[in-house]
Amino acid sequence: MQHLEIEFKNLLKKTEYDQLRSLFPEISPIHQTNYYIDSPNWMLREQGMSLRVRTFDEGGELTLKVLQAIGNMEYNQELPSDIWPHFPDQLHLPEGSILDLIQEEGIDLDQLQILGSLQTERIEVELPIGLLALDKSCYFDQIDYELELEVTNPAQGYEDFKNFLAEHQIEQRKTPTKVARFSARL
């Protein structure tokens, strides 16, 4: 499955996260672990790609994000039941479009390794302005809080995002992606 992902992000202070979290008390969080994969010399990142395996309590998925002029083309592939329970002890990329795309870029699969993991507690809610996600993420010695808004129209989505932040008196902050924040801590 593939789709164009257009999202706006904002790092939050814990108090801002708590304030927004209190708006959706009926939503149970999803617990997930992201395992980031690349070579020691960042072959995927050099090609404008990021690769992760995301595991849940039951199941997992492989995701490849490829940078576009606007947003990322995101490719998702469910991990077969014979692979995800053994992850991360065994890095095995299943056959499919993601493996094909990586190989088309000439990436040496033997160089790929798991760089580490990031645990996230996420709540998601569909709003008229888009899919809103509130994340509390833990990696290395860091805990951070983030708001994401996934939209279909970038111009309208950006205005809606700015208005949402203003409505909740949250300062707009330049926010690197999770994989960038994770990578900076390596």
Side-chain angles (χ1 to χ4, degrees):
M1 179 176 85
Q2 78 180 60
H3 73 279
L4 182 63
E5 176 189 61
I6 302 168
E7 65 183 7
F8 300 99
K9 301 171 173 287
N10 204 72
L11 283 173
L12 301 171
K13 296 176 182 174
K14 184 176 185 324
T15 54
E16 295 166 336
Y17 171 84
D18 291 341
Q19 168 200 345
L20 294 176
R21 179 66 181 101
S22 71
L23 299 175
F24 311 105
E26 72 286 356
I27 298 178
S28 297
I30 300 165
H31 297 273
Q32 56 195 34
T33 301
N34 292 341
Y35 295 91
Y36 295 109
I37 301 165
D38 206 327
S39 68
N41 62 348
W42 303 102
M43 288 187 298
L44 289 170
R45 186 170 68 181
E46 292 297 317
Q47 297 297 323
M49 305 169 124
S50 66
L51 182 65
R52 73 164 183 241
V53 167
R54 179 174 281 171
T55 60
F56 307 94
D57 291 336
E58 290 295 322
E61 70 180 1
L62 179 65
T63 300
L64 177 69
K65 294 186 180 189
V66 181
L67 187 62
Q68 305 293 301
I70 296 177
N72 289 299
M73 185 58 68
E74 184 175 291
Y75 301 86
N76 293 298
Q77 185 176 334
E78 187 176 334
L79 286 180
S81 60
D82 63 329
I83 292 179
W84 80 263
H86 307 289
F87 198 85
D89 299 327
Q90 299 173 10
L91 175 56
H92 173 74
L93 300 180
E95 296 293 322
S97 61
I98 292 175
L99 183 60
D100 294 344
L101 288 164
I102 292 170
Q103 289 177 318
E104 285 172 14
E105 291 297 323
I107 303 295
D108 181 358
L109 298 177
D110 292 333
Q111 294 294 313
L112 297 181
Q113 62 187 38
I114 299 167
L115 302 175
S117 64
L118 178 149
Q119 290 76 39
T120 298
E121 179 180 288
R122 167 174 280 195
I123 67 155
E124 288 184 340
V125 59
E126 189 68 49
L127 298 177
I129 61 173
L131 179 64
L132 180 109
L134 282 175
D135 291 344
K136 174 184 176 183
S137 296
C138 304
Y139 50 103
F140 303 115
D141 61 347
Q142 181 73 28
I143 297 176
D144 65 35
Y145 305 91
E146 179 182 31
L147 167 71
E148 295 180 358
L149 182 66
E150 190 167 335
V151 301
T152 54
N153 179 315
Q156 183 61 54
Y158 182 64
E159 288 304 313
D160 291 340
F161 183 68
K162 287 193 318 185
N163 291 339
F164 183 88
L165 292 175
E167 176 184 338
H168 295 282
Q169 300 175 342
I170 296 172
E171 174 188 341
Q172 189 170 357
R173 300 174 181 98
K174 184 171 176 57
T175 301
T177 64
K178 279 184 186 65
V179 69
R181 296 192 314 264
F182 170 86
S183 298
R185 290 278 177 171
L186 278 176

